Amino acid sequence: MFLGLDSSTQSLSAIIIDPASRKIIASHSVNFGRNLPQYLSPNGFIPEGKNGEVHSNPLMWLDALDLLFRELSENADLSRIEIIAGSGQQHGSVYFNAKFDHSLSTLDPAQSLSSQLSSSLTRKTSPIWMDTSTGEECAEITASVGGSSEVCARSGSNAIERFTGPQIRRFWKTDPDAYGRTSRIHLVSSFIASVLAGKSMPIDFGDGAGMNLLNLGDLEWDAGLLNATAPELDRKLPPPVSCLTALAGISTYFSTKYGISSNCKICPFTGDNPASLVGMGATTPGQVVISLGTSDTYFAAMPTAKTDPQGYGHVFGNPAGGFMSLICFRNGSLARECLRDELHVDWSAFEKESLLASSDSAGKNLTLPFYGAEITPRYDFEKPVTDFTEEQTPGRRIRSLLEGQFLNMRLHSQWMGVTTERIRLTGGASQNDGIAQLVADVFQAPVERLEVENSAALGAALIAATAMGNDLVEMQNIYCKPASNSLLQPNTELGEVYSSALGKYAKLLKMHIKS
Ligand code: XUL
């Protein structure tokens, strides 16, 4: 059996698979806000941070780990787990003093993880991916390395506020003493893996690429980026490796306390997006994942190593080898909700029947679908911009907003050079057949939804099985199955319509951003 963990923003989840029986044996989750209310983080982070700071308490993640394993061990025989792999929310970082390694290797099962590791922290709280406090540091790193395109060419992304390098620089600038006392900096992923292994674990390429520190050319820490970020950083970072090899054994803390076999091995943990790419069965180029959540994201395996010339998209490591892209769109459900409220309608107006009623208008009316600042394209929009050739009825406005969202995605993913063979849709709005059909039509590719919801934890479990010698594609064929009746074929009659709408959309966008 193989265990996959995902330490996300709001919860820590586990999925145990048994490939011999092709079954999921257990799946369990600890919700930080609900199950650990003492941390006063209802959504997994400390509310009301100042100056764009969004931090979480790493002790909360440790208590969640103890709680998850206690509850899992009551419901499953953990002695049969051969390998544990995992993922973490990307970009978040945890800071430790020189005592950390010794404390990890001497953990006492009679006490909790948090009580034994808290004195090793040099920074009480961890900046996470929602943090936007590092605009100044991004500008400094960019200038020092020689411009945005240089940072992007080396690391796969422009200097980005939430990325770990700029966050480390801000820590060094605001608290140089504590930075000086720091001898180990981990990502959320490598931190959780280290606790399980009882020793510091390396950082996986997939997740390491979200730091603005990893050189994607040679997959080593980039000396120029390290120097531009903070002093002596090379000594504080664990080495970068692939997550596909189980490098360590389980710590005796976990084998004694929760009945895991002492032969169980630990893989380096990856980021939640790379793990999701695995769990969505999308590690081969041509398969695209679109997640429709508060923000929308588009991610896909890359046919060749490339970076986004406009600097909006990111390149991370693909756990199966090569690279993946990740493109975030801030105005996802946020924009869909704004229009719903503006028109005083409910979600039924976005359902299949309602969208069918406006199908004569396909591609005729354009909307730049942004109710506020957007990151792809990066621009401070205030409200949507429309260019309608027909009268603006509520039905046409909804169709046009959704078309605008997917045209914007299609436009800003073109740099990857992917031929979209199939789209796997996930996230809250993906269950809506009307919206899903529009995705199929705009991209002219079939759309599927999967059975299993937690794709990151599932992906991690599949990584663990692969590290044991199982074939990844075979594992994905077993576990990443589309839900029955979830396949939607594109209406090929709309192929030309949306190709021409794409050109017009790009023109409207360019005109608006220039003006
Ligand atoms: C990716 C990103 C988020 C986090 C949290 O760049 O910031 O998707 O990984 O899930």
Side-chain angles (χ1 to χ4, degrees):
M1 296 194 327
F2 301 96
L3 167 61
L5 294 178
D6 176 47
S7 181
S8 77
T9 316
Q10 308 216 17
S11 55
L12 174 69
S13 306
I15 288 186
I16 301 176
I17 61 168
D18 175 15
S21 67
R22 304 165 81 92
K23 282 203 174 115
I24 290 181
I25 300 296
S27 108
H28 191 64
S29 195
V30 166
N31 181 284
F32 302 138
R34 216 172 29 246
N35 302 121
L36 300 165
Q38 64 272 32
Y39 286 100
L40 306 174
S41 302
N43 297 304
F45 54 86
I46 302 158
E48 291 167 38
K50 302 253 174 336
N51 306 316
E53 275 188 4
V54 183
H55 286 211
S56 292
N57 189 334
L59 301 179
M60 174 182 78
W61 297 330
L62 290 174
D63 279 346
L65 207 53
D66 266 328
L67 184 58
L68 181 91
F69 274 98
R70 199 183 74 214
E71 293 180 350
L72 260 185
S73 66
E74 287 163 5
N75 297 304
D77 176 8
L78 303 188
S79 72
R80 290 183 52 212
I81 295 171
E82 290 167 277
I83 298 185
I84 302 174
S87 67
Q89 53 173 311
Q90 293 201 253
H91 318 298
S93 44
V94 201
Y95 300 75
F96 296 101
N97 58 27
K99 257 176 53 183
F100 180 56
D101 281 11
H102 179 72
S103 306
L104 272 184
S105 62
T106 53
L107 288 170
D108 172 7
Q111 299 173 51
S112 70
L113 291 169
S114 59
S115 66
Q116 298 178 81
L117 292 173
S118 72
S119 63
S120 302
L121 287 167
T122 54
R123 193 178 191 180
K124 294 288 168 224
T125 58
S126 291
I128 66 160
W129 64 280
M130 297 164 81
D131 190 298
T132 54
S133 66
T134 64
E136 209 175 281
E137 288 72 20
C138 287
E140 289 162 354
I141 293 168
T142 306
S144 158
V145 175
S148 286
S149 45
E150 186 58 31
V151 179
C152 189
R154 292 181 192 213
S155 74
S157 303
N158 286 0
I160 303 285
E161 285 85 345
R162 67 184 187 283
F163 278 38
T164 323
Q167 292 290 342
I168 293 172
R169 181 168 177 81
R170 187 159 188 269
F171 180 47
W172 167 63
K173 280 169 61 184
T174 52
D175 195 349
D177 288 346
Y179 179 81
R181 277 185 276 113
T182 302
S183 49
R184 201 35 100 216
I185 301 176
H186 275 293
L187 290 178
V188 176
S189 58
S190 61
F191 164 53
I192 304 287
S194 301
V195 174
L196 284 165
K199 64 174 194 178
S200 250
M201 285 286 274
I203 286 182
D204 153 70
F205 300 136
D207 207 14
M211 301 174 82
N212 280 140
L213 294 172
L214 187 75
N215 187 306
L216 296 189
D218 59 10
L219 296 175
E220 296 290 346
W221 300 124
D222 184 282
L225 286 167
L226 292 180
N227 288 336
T229 299
E232 300 187 1
L233 191 47
D234 53 338
R235 287 204 259 134
K236 302 181 199 281
L237 292 176
V241 298
S242 152
C243 62
L244 274 186
T245 309
L247 292 176
I250 186 108
S251 125
T252 49
Y253 177 91
F254 285 91
S255 53
T256 315
K257 196 163 181 170
Y258 301 114
I260 301 171
S261 156
S262 54
N263 292 326
C264 176
K265 299 271 182 298
I266 314 291
C267 286
F269 281 20
T270 186
D272 57 355
N273 294 297
S276 264
L277 189 79
V278 177
M280 294 294 294
T283 40
T284 23
Q287 321 300 313
V288 165
V289 181
I290 294 176
S291 167
L292 302 175
T294 311
S295 312
D296 292 343
T297 53
Y298 170 109
F299 54 94
M302 313 246 312
T304 51
K306 267 192 196 149
T307 52
D308 180 357
Q310 290 191 290
Y312 303 137
H314 311 304
V315 179
F316 299 143
N318 174 348
F323 297 97
M324 66 177 282
S325 69
L326 178 106
I327 314 173
C328 299
F329 303 86
R330 195 169 276 160
N331 284 268
S333 284
L334 230 60
R336 294 184 281 273
E337 278 163 24
C338 280
L339 183 62
R340 179 199 61 187
D341 297 345
E342 201 181 312
L343 295 173
H344 304 291
V345 295
D346 58 30
W347 286 123
S348 65
F350 290 68
E351 285 290 350
K352 199 168 183 177
E353 289 69 31
S354 312
L355 287 170
L356 266 177
S358 64
S359 54
D360 283 355
S361 294
K364 288 190 182 150
N365 307 303
L366 295 177
T367 300
L368 304 184
F370 312 111
Y371 277 80
E374 179 50 60
I375 47 180
T376 310
R378 207 173 168 114
Y379 191 75
D380 280 338
F381 292 94
E382 279 167 9
K383 55 178 191 315
V385 176
T386 52
D387 182 9
F388 270 54
T389 60
E390 299 176 307
E391 190 197 335
Q392 296 210 14
T393 62
R396 286 184 191 140
R397 285 186 62 192
I398 292 169
R399 168 174 281 276
S400 174
L401 179 97
L402 293 169
E403 287 177 348
Q405 291 191 314
F406 307 133
L407 286 170
N408 188 56
M409 250 181 210
R410 192 173 147 184
L411 182 69
H412 290 103
S413 53
Q414 276 178 336
W415 60 271
M416 292 172 54
V418 162
T419 310
T420 309
E421 289 165 21
R422 182 184 66 195
I423 295 170
R424 288 196 153 166
L425 211 55
T426 177
S430 67
Q431 294 311 318
N432 177 317
D433 274 355
I435 296 180
Q437 183 63 51
L438 266 190
V439 173
D441 291 346
V442 170
F443 279 88
Q444 286 293 297
V447 162
E448 287 174 351
R449 275 74 47 97
L450 293 195
E451 265 170 12
V452 176
E453 274 176 22
N454 194 336
S455 55
L458 174 64
L462 301 184
I463 289 171
T466 309
M468 191 70 191
N470 289 289
D471 180 65
L472 177 59
V473 174
E474 214 170 283
M475 292 294 104
Q476 288 173 320
N477 288 341
I478 298 174
Y479 286 102
C480 313
K481 278 207 288 285
S484 53
N485 297 328
S486 83
L487 176 68
L488 296 171
Q489 290 294 350
N491 176 353
T492 49
E493 282 168 20
L494 294 177
E496 277 300 310
V497 169
Y498 285 122
S499 290
S500 126
L502 186 67
K504 290 184 195 143
Y505 176 91
K507 241 189 227 155
L508 180 65
L509 186 64
K510 214 171 182 180
M511 237 166 56
H512 182 76
I513 289 184
K514 261 198 199 140
S515 61

